[in-house]
Amino acid sequence: MPCWYDGPLAAFDTETTGIDVERDRIVSAALVVQETPRSAPRITRWLINPGVEIPEAAVAVHGLTADHLALHGRWPAPVVEEVARALAAQSVAGRPLVVMNAPFDLTLLDRELKRHRASSLNAYLGAHPLRVLDPRVLDKHLDRYRKGRRTLADLCAQYEVELTEAHDAAADALAALQVVRALGHRFSDRLGSLHPAELHTRQAVWYAAQARGLQAWFARSGSSESVDPHWPLRPELPAAA
């Protein structure tokens, strides 16, 4: 039997109106499914007209203007339900889900489901919870002393993965999936014997430790910024938009 990093994987990514998971909105999303490293990926794309202003800073990142989304995007409610059902189908099929910086994308989706469907991501998953592989968490744990940033572009350079059309949801999802495959091979002695479900549980612990380290660094720097230690989904805040 092949190791999990040579087997079926899915990957998910979003582009948004900003970086606040409680208030910002999804404008595009993509799901990439690949059965083996040599298989052609199957890509599903969604484009959403969020019905709110899209800041110029966000447009500068992903290029999706309000006019473009008004013309080509769909209303959020049916789209976010389609996305949630598509992710749930991956869990039912037993495919691990690659999500770069998972607490951002998955929490945003969860809040969109609350906003437009009066539901939650966990409600759609039911008895089949996600088994998430987060390349940022994995890389930071396995190569913790490497200096420099760990954005998707940085990880692609580190693991020799081509990233075309950065900040396109489908391109980013595919690149993250390929990074995880490459990372699995590089650290096969430490990852090869772990089942994705076990690896999911360990990443939650690793992320919490990484968050504590970042929080301590902020404190030493005199910053009051707080770091949420929850992974892969942040708990709901009472005052969420």
Side-chain angles (χ1 to χ4, degrees), residues 65-87:
T65 65
D67 288 344
H68 179 82
L69 293 170
L71 185 62
H72 300 287
R74 296 164 58 202
W75 191 243
V79 180
V80 295
E81 175 156 6
E82 286 178 18
V83 172
R85 290 188 182 281
L87 297 192

PDB file of all heavy atoms in Angstrom, residues 65-87:
ATOM      1  N   THR A  65     -12.818  42.000  -8.972  1.00  0.00           N
ATOM      2  CA  THR A  65     -13.484  43.260  -8.685  1.00  0.00           C
ATOM      3  C   THR A  65     -14.971  43.039  -8.418  1.00  0.00           C
ATOM      4  O   THR A  65     -15.543  42.004  -8.782  1.00  0.00           O
ATOM      5  CB  THR A  65     -13.331  44.238  -9.853  1.00  0.00           C
ATOM      6  OG1 THR A  65     -14.034  43.697 -10.990  1.00  0.00           O
ATOM      7  CG2 THR A  65     -11.865  44.450 -10.214  1.00  0.00           C
ATOM      8  N   ALA A  66     -15.606  44.053  -7.831  1.00  0.00           N
ATOM      9  CA  ALA A  66     -17.041  43.978  -7.575  1.00  0.00           C
ATOM     10  C   ALA A  66     -17.818  43.844  -8.879  1.00  0.00           C
ATOM     11  O   ALA A  66     -18.802  43.089  -8.951  1.00  0.00           O
ATOM     12  CB  ALA A  66     -17.488  45.217  -6.794  1.00  0.00           C
ATOM     13  N   ASP A  67     -17.400  44.557  -9.926  1.00  0.00           N
ATOM     14  CA  ASP A  67     -18.087  44.468 -11.218  1.00  0.00           C
ATOM     15  C   ASP A  67     -17.986  43.060 -11.801  1.00  0.00           C
ATOM     16  O   ASP A  67     -18.964  42.513 -12.318  1.00  0.00           O
ATOM     17  CB  ASP A  67     -17.502  45.483 -12.202  1.00  0.00           C
ATOM     18  CG  ASP A  67     -17.884  46.919 -11.861  1.00  0.00           C
ATOM     19  OD1 ASP A  67     -18.829  47.102 -11.065  1.00  0.00           O
ATOM     20  OD2 ASP A  67     -17.231  47.843 -12.387  1.00  0.00           O
ATOM     21  N   HIS A  68     -16.795  42.471 -11.718  1.00  0.00           N
ATOM     22  CA  HIS A  68     -16.601  41.110 -12.249  1.00  0.00           C
ATOM     23  C   HIS A  68     -17.465  40.113 -11.478  1.00  0.00           C
ATOM     24  O   HIS A  68     -18.113  39.234 -12.087  1.00  0.00           O
ATOM     25  CB  HIS A  68     -15.125  40.729 -12.151  1.00  0.00           C
ATOM     26  CG  HIS A  68     -14.829  39.350 -12.657  1.00  0.00           C
ATOM     27  ND1 HIS A  68     -14.653  39.067 -13.993  1.00  0.00           N
ATOM     28  CD2 HIS A  68     -14.696  38.168 -11.996  1.00  0.00           C
ATOM     29  CE1 HIS A  68     -14.420  37.775 -14.142  1.00  0.00           C
ATOM     30  NE2 HIS A  68     -14.436  37.202 -12.946  1.00  0.00           N
ATOM     31  N   LEU A  69     -17.491  40.241 -10.158  1.00  0.00           N
ATOM     32  CA  LEU A  69     -18.253  39.298  -9.355  1.00  0.00           C
ATOM     33  C   LEU A  69     -19.754  39.496  -9.524  1.00  0.00           C
ATOM     34  O   LEU A  69     -20.528  38.531  -9.485  1.00  0.00           O
ATOM     35  CB  LEU A  69     -17.856  39.426  -7.889  1.00  0.00           C
ATOM     36  CG  LEU A  69     -16.419  38.989  -7.579  1.00  0.00           C
ATOM     37  CD1 LEU A  69     -16.032  39.376  -6.168  1.00  0.00           C
ATOM     38  CD2 LEU A  69     -16.251  37.494  -7.787  1.00  0.00           C
ATOM     39  N   ALA A  70     -20.175  40.758  -9.726  1.00  0.00           N
ATOM     40  CA  ALA A  70     -21.594  41.008  -9.975  1.00  0.00           C
ATOM     41  C   ALA A  70     -22.046  40.368 -11.283  1.00  0.00           C
ATOM     42  O   ALA A  70     -23.184  39.901 -11.406  1.00  0.00           O
ATOM     43  CB  ALA A  70     -21.853  42.511 -10.000  1.00  0.00           C
ATOM     44  N   LEU A  71     -21.140  40.315 -12.263  1.00  0.00           N
ATOM     45  CA  LEU A  71     -21.459  39.756 -13.571  1.00  0.00           C
ATOM     46  C   LEU A  71     -21.351  38.235 -13.600  1.00  0.00           C
ATOM     47  O   LEU A  71     -22.178  37.546 -14.212  1.00  0.00           O
ATOM     48  CB  LEU A  71     -20.541  40.375 -14.629  1.00  0.00           C
ATOM     49  CG  LEU A  71     -20.806  39.987 -16.091  1.00  0.00           C
ATOM     50  CD1 LEU A  71     -22.204  40.438 -16.521  1.00  0.00           C
ATOM     51  CD2 LEU A  71     -19.740  40.590 -16.999  1.00  0.00           C
ATOM     52  N   HIS A  72     -20.318  37.700 -12.923  1.00  0.00           N
ATOM     53  CA  HIS A  72     -20.020  36.266 -13.047  1.00  0.00           C
ATOM     54  C   HIS A  72     -20.246  35.461 -11.763  1.00  0.00           C
ATOM     55  O   HIS A  72     -20.297  34.227 -11.815  1.00  0.00           O
ATOM     56  CB  HIS A  72     -18.563  36.082 -13.490  1.00  0.00           C
ATOM     57  CG  HIS A  72     -18.242  36.718 -14.801  1.00  0.00           C
ATOM     58  ND1 HIS A  72     -18.670  36.206 -16.000  1.00  0.00           N
ATOM     59  CD2 HIS A  72     -17.541  37.850 -15.098  1.00  0.00           C
ATOM     60  CE1 HIS A  72     -18.240  36.968 -16.994  1.00  0.00           C
ATOM     61  NE2 HIS A  72     -17.555  37.979 -16.474  1.00  0.00           N
ATOM     62  N   GLY A  73     -20.348  36.139 -10.642  1.00  0.00           N
ATOM     63  CA  GLY A  73     -20.496  35.428  -9.380  1.00  0.00           C
ATOM     64  C   GLY A  73     -21.931  35.037  -9.089  1.00  0.00           C
ATOM     65  O   GLY A  73     -22.874  35.548  -9.688  1.00  0.00           O
ATOM     66  N   ARG A  74     -22.098  34.112  -8.175  1.00  0.00           N
ATOM     67  CA  ARG A  74     -23.414  33.665  -7.734  1.00  0.00           C
ATOM     68  C   ARG A  74     -23.677  34.153  -6.315  1.00  0.00           C
ATOM     69  O   ARG A  74     -22.749  34.514  -5.585  1.00  0.00           O
ATOM     70  CB  ARG A  74     -23.483  32.131  -7.779  1.00  0.00           C
ATOM     71  CG  ARG A  74     -23.345  31.565  -9.187  1.00  0.00           C
ATOM     72  CD  ARG A  74     -23.038  30.074  -9.131  1.00  0.00           C
ATOM     73  NE  ARG A  74     -24.070  29.342  -8.398  1.00  0.00           N
ATOM     74  CZ  ARG A  74     -23.875  28.145  -7.834  1.00  0.00           C
ATOM     75  NH1 ARG A  74     -22.687  27.568  -7.915  1.00  0.00           N
ATOM     76  NH2 ARG A  74     -24.846  27.553  -7.183  1.00  0.00           N
ATOM     77  N   TRP A  75     -24.933  34.137  -5.925  1.00  0.00           N
ATOM     78  CA  TRP A  75     -25.301  34.548  -4.584  1.00  0.00           C
ATOM     79  C   TRP A  75     -24.696  33.570  -3.566  1.00  0.00           C
ATOM     80  O   TRP A  75     -24.636  32.368  -3.807  1.00  0.00           O
ATOM     81  CB  TRP A  75     -26.823  34.603  -4.450  1.00  0.00           C
ATOM     82  CG  TRP A  75     -27.275  35.256  -3.186  1.00  0.00           C
ATOM     83  CD1 TRP A  75     -27.988  34.681  -2.172  1.00  0.00           C
ATOM     84  CD2 TRP A  75     -27.042  36.609  -2.786  1.00  0.00           C
ATOM     85  NE1 TRP A  75     -28.211  35.590  -1.165  1.00  0.00           N
ATOM     86  CE2 TRP A  75     -27.636  36.790  -1.513  1.00  0.00           C
ATOM     87  CE3 TRP A  75     -26.376  37.692  -3.383  1.00  0.00           C
ATOM     88  CZ2 TRP A  75     -27.595  38.002  -0.816  1.00  0.00           C
ATOM     89  CZ3 TRP A  75     -26.340  38.902  -2.694  1.00  0.00           C
ATOM     90  CH2 TRP A  75     -26.941  39.043  -1.426  1.00  0.00           C
ATOM     91  N   PRO A  76     -24.232  34.057  -2.393  1.00  0.00           N
ATOM     92  CA  PRO A  76     -23.446  33.208  -1.489  1.00  0.00           C
ATOM     93  C   PRO A  76     -24.167  31.981  -0.946  1.00  0.00           C
ATOM     94  O   PRO A  76     -23.549  30.916  -0.806  1.00  0.00           O
ATOM     95  CB  PRO A  76     -23.081  34.164  -0.347  1.00  0.00           C
ATOM     96  CG  PRO A  76     -23.178  35.528  -0.924  1.00  0.00           C
ATOM     97  CD  PRO A  76     -24.267  35.455  -1.946  1.00  0.00           C
ATOM     98  N   ALA A  77     -25.453  32.095  -0.609  1.00  0.00           N
ATOM     99  CA  ALA A  77     -26.123  31.014   0.127  1.00  0.00           C
ATOM    100  C   ALA A  77     -26.012  29.639  -0.544  1.00  0.00           C
ATOM    101  O   ALA A  77     -25.571  28.669   0.086  1.00  0.00           O
ATOM    102  CB  ALA A  77     -27.586  31.378   0.382  1.00  0.00           C
ATOM    103  N   PRO A  78     -26.392  29.503  -1.815  1.00  0.00           N
ATOM    104  CA  PRO A  78     -26.272  28.163  -2.418  1.00  0.00           C
ATOM    105  C   PRO A  78     -24.831  27.733  -2.631  1.00  0.00           C
ATOM    106  O   PRO A  78     -24.525  26.539  -2.579  1.00  0.00           O
ATOM    107  CB  PRO A  78     -27.011  28.311  -3.754  1.00  0.00           C
ATOM    108  CG  PRO A  78     -26.987  29.759  -4.059  1.00  0.00           C
ATOM    109  CD  PRO A  78     -27.035  30.456  -2.734  1.00  0.00           C
ATOM    110  N   VAL A  79     -23.946  28.709  -2.854  1.00  0.00           N
ATOM    111  CA  VAL A  79     -22.549  28.342  -3.113  1.00  0.00           C
ATOM    112  C   VAL A  79     -21.884  27.779  -1.868  1.00  0.00           C
ATOM    113  O   VAL A  79     -21.213  26.747  -1.917  1.00  0.00           O
ATOM    114  CB  VAL A  79     -21.748  29.536  -3.654  1.00  0.00           C
ATOM    115  CG1 VAL A  79     -20.301  29.129  -3.909  1.00  0.00           C
ATOM    116  CG2 VAL A  79     -22.369  30.057  -4.937  1.00  0.00           C
ATOM    117  N   VAL A  80     -22.036  28.448  -0.733  1.00  0.00           N
ATOM    118  CA  VAL A  80     -21.355  27.958   0.469  1.00  0.00           C
ATOM    119  C   VAL A  80     -21.900  26.593   0.879  1.00  0.00           C
ATOM    120  O   VAL A  80     -21.153  25.761   1.415  1.00  0.00           O
ATOM    121  CB  VAL A  80     -21.422  28.974   1.628  1.00  0.00           C
ATOM    122  CG1 VAL A  80     -20.648  30.239   1.261  1.00  0.00           C
ATOM    123  CG2 VAL A  80     -22.850  29.305   2.027  1.00  0.00           C
ATOM    124  N   GLU A  81     -23.180  26.338   0.586  1.00  0.00           N
ATOM    125  CA  GLU A  81     -23.707  24.997   0.859  1.00  0.00           C
ATOM    126  C   GLU A  81     -23.068  23.970  -0.084  1.00  0.00           C
ATOM    127  O   GLU A  81     -22.691  22.873   0.352  1.00  0.00           O
ATOM    128  CB  GLU A  81     -25.222  24.953   0.708  1.00  0.00           C
ATOM    129  CG  GLU A  81     -25.757  23.544   0.870  1.00  0.00           C
ATOM    130  CD  GLU A  81     -27.207  23.489   1.289  1.00  0.00           C
ATOM    131  OE1 GLU A  81     -27.861  24.541   1.350  1.00  0.00           O
ATOM    132  OE2 GLU A  81     -27.680  22.372   1.564  1.00  0.00           O
ATOM    133  N   GLU A  82     -22.911  24.313  -1.355  1.00  0.00           N
ATOM    134  CA  GLU A  82     -22.239  23.408  -2.291  1.00  0.00           C
ATOM    135  C   GLU A  82     -20.812  23.113  -1.828  1.00  0.00           C
ATOM    136  O   GLU A  82     -20.345  21.969  -1.894  1.00  0.00           O
ATOM    137  CB  GLU A  82     -22.210  24.024  -3.688  1.00  0.00           C
ATOM    138  CG  GLU A  82     -23.537  24.008  -4.411  1.00  0.00           C
ATOM    139  CD  GLU A  82     -23.445  24.682  -5.776  1.00  0.00           C
ATOM    140  OE1 GLU A  82     -22.311  24.841  -6.288  1.00  0.00           O
ATOM    141  OE2 GLU A  82     -24.500  25.058  -6.326  1.00  0.00           O
ATOM    142  N   VAL A  83     -20.112  24.140  -1.389  1.00  0.00           N
ATOM    143  CA  VAL A  83     -18.729  23.962  -0.931  1.00  0.00           C
ATOM    144  C   VAL A  83     -18.699  23.036   0.281  1.00  0.00           C
ATOM    145  O   VAL A  83     -17.897  22.091   0.345  1.00  0.00           O
ATOM    146  CB  VAL A  83     -18.094  25.315  -0.592  1.00  0.00           C
ATOM    147  CG1 VAL A  83     -16.726  25.112   0.058  1.00  0.00           C
ATOM    148  CG2 VAL A  83     -17.948  26.169  -1.845  1.00  0.00           C
ATOM    149  N   ALA A  84     -19.570  23.290   1.257  1.00  0.00           N
ATOM    150  CA  ALA A  84     -19.588  22.452   2.461  1.00  0.00           C
ATOM    151  C   ALA A  84     -19.899  21.001   2.117  1.00  0.00           C
ATOM    152  O   ALA A  84     -19.275  20.071   2.661  1.00  0.00           O
ATOM    153  CB  ALA A  84     -20.614  22.994   3.447  1.00  0.00           C
ATOM    154  N   ARG A  85     -20.840  20.773   1.207  1.00  0.00           N
ATOM    155  CA  ARG A  85     -21.175  19.401   0.818  1.00  0.00           C
ATOM    156  C   ARG A  85     -20.009  18.755   0.062  1.00  0.00           C
ATOM    157  O   ARG A  85     -19.760  17.547   0.205  1.00  0.00           O
ATOM    158  CB  ARG A  85     -22.442  19.395  -0.032  1.00  0.00           C
ATOM    159  CG  ARG A  85     -23.704  19.751   0.758  1.00  0.00           C
ATOM    160  CD  ARG A  85     -24.960  19.555  -0.067  1.00  0.00           C
ATOM    161  NE  ARG A  85     -26.153  19.950   0.673  1.00  0.00           N
ATOM    162  CZ  ARG A  85     -26.757  19.203   1.600  1.00  0.00           C
ATOM    163  NH1 ARG A  85     -26.267  17.999   1.874  1.00  0.00           N
ATOM    164  NH2 ARG A  85     -27.834  19.636   2.228  1.00  0.00           N
ATOM    165  N   ALA A  86     -19.299  19.539  -0.718  1.00  0.00           N
ATOM    166  CA  ALA A  86     -18.150  18.994  -1.453  1.00  0.00           C
ATOM    167  C   ALA A  86     -17.036  18.577  -0.492  1.00  0.00           C
ATOM    168  O   ALA A  86     -16.401  17.532  -0.682  1.00  0.00           O
ATOM    169  CB  ALA A  86     -17.637  20.025  -2.452  1.00  0.00           C
ATOM    170  N   LEU A  87     -16.790  19.382   0.538  1.00  0.00           N
ATOM    171  CA  LEU A  87     -15.775  19.013   1.529  1.00  0.00           C
ATOM    172  C   LEU A  87     -16.227  17.787   2.317  1.00  0.00           C
ATOM    173  O   LEU A  87     -15.419  16.892   2.605  1.00  0.00           O
ATOM    174  CB  LEU A  87     -15.506  20.177   2.471  1.00  0.00           C
ATOM    175  CG  LEU A  87     -14.927  21.457   1.864  1.00  0.00           C
ATOM    176  CD1 LEU A  87     -14.443  22.398   2.970  1.00  0.00           C
ATOM    177  CD2 LEU A  87     -13.801  21.174   0.886  1.00  0.00           C
TER     178      LEU A  87
END
